[in-house]
Amino acid sequence: MMRSKRSIAVGLWPAGICQAAAYEAPRVADGKPNLNGIWQTLNTANWDIQGHAAQSGPVVALGAAGAVPAGPGVLEGDEIPYKPDAARKKKENFADRLTANPEIKCYVYAVSVSDLQTSKYILMAY
């Protein structure tokens, strides 16, 4: 009877060797941020930019179609320093999402900005 041998390689790296460089946002000639391009959410920040658990949708009959997937969030520290009124409004908006959310009413929005930025103006075509 032959036994197979498997080995596992474990490596330890000194701290700091594999750190990524800090992100540098692209700039236009005058040093302002370059906002040209197509802006689209490709992660769970479409539901909430803070970390969040999976949740069922507001219409149970839709099943997973209206559900919110879990997501890690995209904020450093995962906190937004909301004032009490703003935090309350965020909760209201979520509770009323079935009637108040423009996307539910098929007002789908996307911002497309392509080579339409000057040193004085930015044109956003919806």
Side-chain angles (χ1 to χ4, degrees), residues 1-5:
M1 178 187 253
M2 256 178 96
R3 290 186 176 203
S4 64
K5 293 184 180 181

Side-chain angles (χ1 to χ4, degrees), residues 62-76:
L62 290 176
V68 175
V74 295
L75 300 170
E76 287 184 25

Side-chain angles (χ1 to χ4, degrees), residues 3-81:
R3 290 186 176 203
S4 64
K5 293 184 180 181
R6 297 181 185 190
S7 60
I8 299 174
V10 176
L12 298 174
W13 297 88
I17 286 183
C18 295
Q19 289 181 345
Y23 175 74
E24 280 290 324
R27 304 280 175 176
V28 292
D30 63 0
K32 293 179 182 170
N34 184 345
L35 301 176
N36 288 315
I38 296 174
W39 293 71
Q40 179 181 6
T41 304
L42 296 174
N43 57 27
T44 58
N46 188 48
W47 288 273
D48 195 341
I49 61 173
Q50 291 178 284
H52 54 280
Q55 301 173 37
S56 62
V59 179
V60 177
L62 290 176
V68 175
V74 295
L75 300 170
E76 287 184 25
D78 200 39
E79 288 300 318
I80 300 172

